[in-house]
Amino acid sequence: ETGVTQTPRHLVMGMTNKKSLKCEQHLGHNAMYWYKQSAKKPLELMFVYNFKEQTENNSVPSRFSPECPNSSHLFLHLHTLQPEDSALYLCASSQALQGYGYTFGSGTRLTVV
Amino acid sequence: GQQVMQIPQYQHVQEGEDFTTYCNSSTTLSNIQWYKQRPGGHPVFLIQLVKSGEVKKQKRLTFQFGEAKKNSSLHITATQTTDVGTYFCAGPRYGGSQGNLIFGKGTKLSVKP
């Protein structure tokens, strides 16, 4: 375990479904992130939360909706996704103000059918 | 816009050979980070370099930050099959909030035993 736990590990959903991805960190970090990793593309930042406040939304479509109820938990709510949204969704945390590296979770492999 | 480029995209080596991947940024970076992602896994933080010309070693891995703080390299001496994976560099995104990183596309290393 990395200290950042993501559930579920795998998810298959239809384009009309609504689902949520969950991330929990046990490291006492104050920043959390959602990244998308697709084949042959660099890691794409989606959202940044510092001290549970959203500080970055990297032009992500509204069908992705993040939620950060506290500094240890992060959710990504999904609805009416498209097949091109199929990817590995990675959650990460860091102690942002100290500039340390990210600790990534194991990711959720999402397939939209 | 800001870019972080890595070369080569792929590298195939015989076990025991050396390997180097290069990272080039379009902007000066305050720091650079390196990550390794094993096949089917998630990125794992390796190291952060901060100072101009800095060189750090981790066993067979040598990391270097350029004098102009716009490029970096990772060199592996005498590769082993356990080195297989994709190596990413990342730097702070210009104008982004604290902890917001921009990643290169990575160098995928395969090692033939």
Side-chain angles (χ1 to χ4, degrees):
Chain A
E1 281 298 328
T2 69
V4 178
T5 304
Q6 285 188 248
T7 54
R9 292 293 301 273
H10 301 273
L11 179 61
V12 179
M13 61 185 287
M15 289 190 284
T16 58
N17 290 161
K18 287 185 180 181
K19 296 286 184 183
S20 295
L21 310 185
K22 180 183 175 182
C23 177
E24 183 176 359
Q25 60 100 357
H26 312 276
L27 302 169
H29 288 166
N30 53 31
M32 296 187 77
Y33 315 83
W34 281 116
Y35 272 84
K36 177 183 178 182
Q37 188 174 39
S38 307
K40 300 183 180 180
K41 281 189 174 182
L43 281 158
E44 298 174 73
L45 178 68
M46 300 176 74
F47 302 102
V48 178
Y49 280 82
N50 281 299
F51 296 97
K52 78 176 184 179
E53 297 296 323
Q54 187 180 126
T55 56
E56 296 276 349
N57 176 339
N58 205 28
S59 303
V60 180
S62 59
R63 58 186 184 270
F64 295 91
S65 174
E67 178 189 0
C68 188
N70 54 62
S71 57
S72 298
H73 293 85
L74 187 64
F75 295 89
L76 187 63
H77 304 299
L78 317 171
H79 62 97
T80 59
L81 295 191
Q82 304 299 312
E84 59 264 29
D85 296 322
S86 299
L88 180 67
Y89 288 85
L90 290 159
C91 172
S93 71
S94 74
Q95 197 67 7
L97 296 181
Q98 295 182 19
Y100 291 158
Y102 290 174
T103 300
F104 282 91
S106 299
T108 295
R109 174 68 62 185
L110 173 67
T111 304
V112 181
V113 297
Chain B
Q2 183 186 13
Q3 292 184 47
V4 173
M5 294 151 288
Q6 282 186 254
I7 54 170
Q9 192 174 356
Y10 302 95
Q11 184 77 58
H12 309 282
V13 301
Q14 191 76 36
E15 189 172 22
E17 291 181 339
D18 291 356
F19 159 76
T20 304
T21 174
Y22 299 91
C23 178
N24 295 290
S25 170
S26 58
T27 61
T28 301
L29 301 171
S30 59
N31 68 79
I32 196 157
Q33 300 177 13
W34 285 91
Y35 293 79
K36 175 184 178 182
Q37 186 173 17
R38 294 180 186 274
H42 56 275
V44 174
F45 174 70
L46 294 176
I47 206 161
Q48 176 174 274
L49 305 172
V50 178
K51 298 177 183 177
S52 169
E54 188 171 13
V55 177
K56 286 189 176 180
K57 291 191 176 184
Q58 289 180 352
K59 297 182 180 178
R60 295 178 294 103
L61 276 61
T62 301
F63 303 84
Q64 188 166 9
F65 201 8
E67 294 289 341
K69 302 184 78 173
K70 294 183 71 174
N71 56 68
S72 181
S73 64
L74 158 58
H75 179 82
I76 302 178
T77 303
T79 54
Q80 300 175 358
T81 54
T82 53
D83 296 324
V84 164
T86 301
Y87 293 85
F88 296 95
C89 63
R93 185 180 299 273
Y94 181 78
S97 60
Q98 185 75 28
N100 187 338
L101 298 178
I102 180 170
F103 282 80
K105 287 188 175 183
T107 295
K108 188 174 183 179
L109 172 65
S110 61
V111 179
K112 187 175 180 181

